[in-house]
Amino acid sequence: MFDSPRFDDAHPQACSIDALSMSLQMRDQYTRFHCDRVGLLGEQLGRLCDLDEAERAHLALAARFHDIGKIGIPDNVLLHPARLDDEQRAIMRTHPERGERIFAATGRSDAAAVGRLIRAHHEAFDGGGYPDGLKGSEIPLAARVLTIVDGYDAMTSNRPYRGPMPHAKAMGILAEQQGGLIDPDVFATFTRMISTAV
């Protein structure tokens, strides 16, 4: 038998966030720690991209919970130990929309703003992303930041189907995606930032 957690009725939004975090951790340890690392990188890059305090707060939450929609992805897709086939990939690509809906359920005053970033973190600068096919400045700047730090951490950390990629190789792949998946200006700022950290 274990004690039930004591929730602070005066801070229900904090309880909602804690519950989401615990749910993510219980669903998939990789996703939880990936999101934590992406949050740290996103905060640094967002500051260098001149996001204001409110925008950085939204980015921090969106980074922490950008993959929360994976809670609704079946195990045979989420935990698949190899590259996904087309059908599995289509299922996985529903996670940004699922994440937006889950975060909206917190009832937070910033839920719409954070949810918009969660929904947009797989949009591409050239309009070829998902779920909405947004292009260029149609994609919120904070989401363009999130796309880069998410991609970098995903490549340089352990995945179910491969080991971590070397920093130089990951940066080379991102460099090739400038103007396609990622915003070249944001990537230039990320390059300067990450060069001092490795």
Side-chain angles (χ1 to χ4, degrees):
M1 194 77 174
F2 56 89
D3 293 334
S4 298
R6 295 182 179 180
F7 296 116
D8 184 349
D9 291 336
H11 298 92
Q13 292 185 349
C15 296
S16 294
I17 290 297
D18 289 345
L20 281 186
S21 184
M22 182 175 290
S23 297
L24 192 60
Q25 180 176 350
M26 293 178 71
R27 182 69 177 91
D28 179 17
Q29 283 281 351
Y30 166 77
T31 296
R32 183 270 171 98
F33 291 115
H34 164 67
C35 290
D36 288 348
R37 292 190 301 269
V38 169
L40 292 174
L41 286 172
E43 165 63 23
Q44 295 173 50
L45 184 55
R47 190 178 296 275
L48 293 175
C49 288
D50 296 324
L51 294 178
D52 65 30
E53 186 176 354
E55 290 169 327
R56 292 199 308 273
H58 296 159
L59 172 59
L61 280 172
R64 184 176 175 191
F65 295 109
H66 70 280
D67 278 340
I68 193 70
K70 289 183 178 179
I71 287 174
I73 302 297
D75 283 353
N76 68 318
V77 175
L78 182 64
L79 305 178
H80 190 63
R83 293 196 177 278
L84 303 178
D85 63 27
D86 289 346
E87 182 179 352
Q88 291 169 321
R89 192 174 299 110
I91 294 169
M92 183 65 85
R93 284 186 168 198
T94 66
H95 82 269
E97 296 164 275
R98 293 172 187 265
E100 179 186 35
R101 293 198 303 271
I102 290 170
F103 201 86
T106 65
R108 293 173 55 96
S109 60
D110 58 3
V114 175
R116 183 177 180 226
L117 301 181
I118 292 171
R119 183 183 180 95
H121 80 277
H122 279 295
E123 298 290 352
F125 194 71
D126 65 1
Y130 61 91
D132 301 310
L134 302 179
K135 184 176 182 178
S137 61
E138 295 173 349
I139 307 167
L141 177 55
R144 284 177 267 151
V145 167
L146 183 51
T147 297
I148 292 173
V149 295
D150 179 30
Y152 177 80
D153 186 78
M155 287 188 283
T156 56
S157 59
N158 278 304
R159 302 306 295 268
Y161 53 86
R162 62 153 175 78
M165 188 180 293
H167 164 76
K169 184 175 181 180
M171 292 299 290
I173 290 172
L174 289 173
E176 291 173 359
Q177 294 176 336
Q178 293 180 86
L181 174 63
I182 63 176
D183 182 329
D185 292 335
V186 177
F187 180 67
T189 303
F190 178 71
T191 300
R192 291 193 296 272
M193 180 190 90
I194 206 72
S195 67
T196 65
V198 295

